[in-house]
Amino acid sequence: GGAVTVTAGGTLAVANAIVTTPTTGTSTGTRAGGALLLQADDAISTSATTGTITTSGQATAANSTAETAGIGGEVVIYHTTGAANQPITLGAAITASGGASAESADTAGAGGTLTLRNASGNIVTHNITADGGAPGGGTAGAGGALQLQTQLAAATITQSGATTLLARGGTAGTNDGTLKIDASGAVTLTNANNVGTLAAKLSDLGAAFSYTDASALSVGSITSAGTSPGTVGTVTGITTNGGAVTVTAGGTLAVANA
């Protein structure tokens, strides 16, 4: 459950797992997943299969006492402008889900806030999960907040293979989380992603935005979130600078904001 901060003046490669999920927490606070900051002046990568990151909250105990599980720990992965045009490339999964509820009187934890921010380069995502904890007969946790930001002109955001971005509520279709995108270049996220609310803005002339969700989706307003250097401001609706927009939903699609 302790926080982890890793800062590199050059490249930063995660070859083996990082885990901050507590195992001996006895209260809501001590069950929360530890926060993680990975910051580098050059390219950031996680190795396929072995370079996983887990900051999920701890579940409640089955003890006939009303308890609340831990929230998922915040994850910030940030490439500075130290080395120009270097990518953030994820080769393995990141999980920042809320802890589960063990019994009917308990409340599951909410999913965490996860931010990928590249001040100078592309972002390639992998499986990223910030789900609310399962209800276990009690109250399910709310889905978390996913944030993707690029700042260099023509920098793109894409997904690796068939990987997905997930911020689902612990009960399917209820209290799903958010996906906020503040990008410069094109964004292509067309796998079986699953969040509740989407907002995006793209600044480059002609940069296109494409997003696919496996279930119901709302295009709305998502407020500022994240701890510095992972803070991303409020984004409302979907805005491009002349670029095409394609949004596909596997359920209902509601446009709540322009």
Side-chain angles (χ1 to χ4, degrees), residues 2-239:
V4 173
T5 300
V6 180
T7 304
T11 60
L12 176 55
V14 179
N16 291 96
I18 297 173
V19 180
T20 69
T21 299
T23 58
T24 58
T26 56
S27 66
T28 303
T30 60
R31 293 188 184 105
L36 171 66
L37 169 62
L38 300 179
Q39 177 174 320
D41 291 342
D42 208 323
I44 300 174
S45 63
T46 60
S47 295
T49 308
T50 58
T52 56
I53 294 170
T54 306
T55 66
S56 295
Q58 180 186 331
T60 59
N63 56 11
S64 301
T65 301
E67 296 179 334
T68 300
I71 64 173
E74 181 176 6
V75 176
V76 175
I77 300 178
Y78 173 48
H79 168 235
T80 72
T81 56
N85 200 19
Q86 295 300 313
I88 295 174
T89 306
L90 302 183
I94 300 177
T95 306
S97 295
S101 167
E103 52 198 3
S104 60
D106 293 349
T107 300
T113 299
L114 192 149
T115 304
L116 303 182
R117 181 182 172 208
N118 197 332
S120 184
N122 300 332
I123 293 174
V124 181
T125 71
H126 201 272
N127 289 315
I128 296 177
T129 305
D131 289 344
T139 302
L146 308 181
Q147 305 190 126
L148 307 177
Q149 184 183 62
T150 54
Q151 295 174 278
L152 179 70
T156 61
I157 300 175
T158 58
Q159 295 181 275
S160 174
T163 61
T164 54
L165 305 176
L166 305 176
R168 303 167 295 188
T171 296
T174 303
N175 293 323
D176 289 338
T178 62
L179 172 61
K180 179 197 305 176
I181 297 164
D182 181 1
S184 46
V187 175
T188 307
L189 302 170
T190 52
N191 294 339
N193 307 298
N194 198 335
V195 302
T197 302
L198 170 71
K201 64 178 180 179
L202 281 64
S203 61
D204 282 1
L205 182 64
F209 177 81
S210 297
Y211 176 78
T212 299
D213 198 277
S215 63
L217 180 69
S218 174
V219 176
S221 182
I222 304 175
T223 58
S224 179
T227 301
S228 181
T231 305
V232 179
T234 298
V235 176
T236 298
I238 299 174
T239 303

